[in-house]
Amino acid sequence: MLTVVISIATQTVRQAGSLEEFSEAFIGRVNALASAYTLLSRDNWTRVPLRDVLEEELRPFASPLEERFVLEGEAVLLLPRAALAFGMIFHELVTNAVKHGALSVPDGRITLLWQVERQNAKDHLAFAWTERDGPNIGHPLRKGFGLALIERSARHELKGEAVADWQSDGLSVTLKVPLEAVGHVTARAGR
């Protein structure tokens, strides 16, 4: 855990333009890790529902969640390492949405959909984050640390990939990861 925190601190300080910017980003990322650790501790470091990880990261930004978010997908239980990675990924996505995207305006909404898909004789968890009714954002001039962290976590921690697409009214990010690397499905229906 300390290695992860040191890595987050090092990368955050490289991207920060000021001490205040570093402090806000670093504390947010450490809090995201702490939230995932809390869920894992609650479940005795076994498997944690994907929905719980999502709701934990989203709760501080919208209450009740149903007003700004649509969460829909199969009941997936995440392995501890995957829960930590997804916690960091969701934190980066929601932080970006609050600063620049759909959650920076009153009418912005986010849809989070996930399902298990069969590809090359293996099951993959396909996850889509879609912002809508946000400001016209356009493609950024440079890739920030948040997107780099999302891509790196998807590739290294989850053995999959993340693809970002900047739409006119918000960011869309798709993740596709092998199910065996993250956990397993417990039911074929979601809310």
Side-chain angles (χ1 to χ4, degrees), residues 58-69 103:
L58 300 176
R59 189 169 288 111
F61 301 98
S63 181
L65 286 174
E66 294 78 21
E67 289 182 7
R68 305 237 19 212
F69 297 97
L103 297 181

Side-chain angles (χ1 to χ4, degrees), residues 49-56 58-59 62 64-76 110-115 187-191:
L50 171 62
R51 181 178 293 278
D52 288 3
V53 175
L54 277 167
E55 289 178 352
E56 188 67 27
L58 300 176
R59 189 169 288 111
L65 286 174
E66 294 78 21
E67 289 182 7
R68 305 237 19 212
F69 297 97
V70 172
L71 282 72
E72 196 171 295
E74 300 172 64
V76 175
I110 298 176
T111 301
L112 300 98
L113 305 174
W114 62 96
Q115 65 183 10
R188 291 284 180 186
R191 178 166 58 142

Side-chain angles (χ1 to χ4, degrees), residues 6-190:
I6 290 168
S7 174
I8 290 170
T10 302
Q11 294 299 318
T12 304
V13 81
R14 286 184 188 152
Q15 298 288 323
S18 68
L19 182 57
E20 292 82 20
E21 189 178 323
F22 166 79
S23 179
E24 179 184 343
F26 180 69
I27 289 170
R29 290 173 179 139
V30 170
N31 282 335
L33 263 181
S35 293
Y37 271 88
T38 299
L39 288 174
L40 288 165
S41 294
R42 176 198 75 188
D43 291 347
N44 296 317
W45 282 84
T46 54
R47 295 175 191 249
V48 176
L50 171 62
R51 181 178 293 278
D52 288 3
V53 175
L54 277 167
E55 289 178 352
E56 188 67 27
E57 290 304 323
L58 300 176
R59 189 169 288 111
F61 301 98
S63 181
L65 286 174
E66 294 78 21
E67 289 182 7
R68 305 237 19 212
F69 297 97
V70 172
L71 282 72
E72 196 171 295
E74 300 172 64
V76 175
L77 290 177
L78 300 174
L79 296 167
R81 183 178 183 128
L84 293 171
F86 272 112
M88 292 300 295
I89 288 169
F90 299 142
H91 170 76
E92 293 303 325
L93 288 170
V94 77
T95 299
N96 184 71
V98 167
K99 289 182 179 180
H100 312 290
L103 297 181
S104 70
V105 295
D107 294 331
R109 303 285 180 264
I110 298 176
T111 301
L112 300 98
L113 305 174
W114 62 96
Q115 65 183 10
V116 175
E117 300 175 345
R118 192 95 174 142
Q119 180 181 358
N120 299 329
K122 290 191 176 201
D123 286 336
H124 287 76
L125 177 62
F127 182 90
W129 167 283
T130 306
E131 298 180 32
R132 64 185 191 285
D133 300 325
N136 190 343
I137 53 172
H139 196 283
L141 298 175
R142 67 176 178 85
K143 185 188 305 184
F145 175 66
L147 182 56
L149 186 144
I150 290 167
E151 291 173 345
R152 191 170 37 251
S153 293
R155 188 172 46 254
H156 296 293
E157 302 298 323
L158 303 173
K159 310 300 183 218
E161 67 177 348
V163 177
D165 184 20
W166 287 265
Q167 303 290 322
S168 62
D169 67 343
L171 176 66
S172 290
V173 175
T174 57
L175 297 169
K176 187 172 276 191
V177 298
L179 189 60
E180 66 187 16
V182 297
H184 71 274
V185 178
T186 61
R188 291 284 180 186

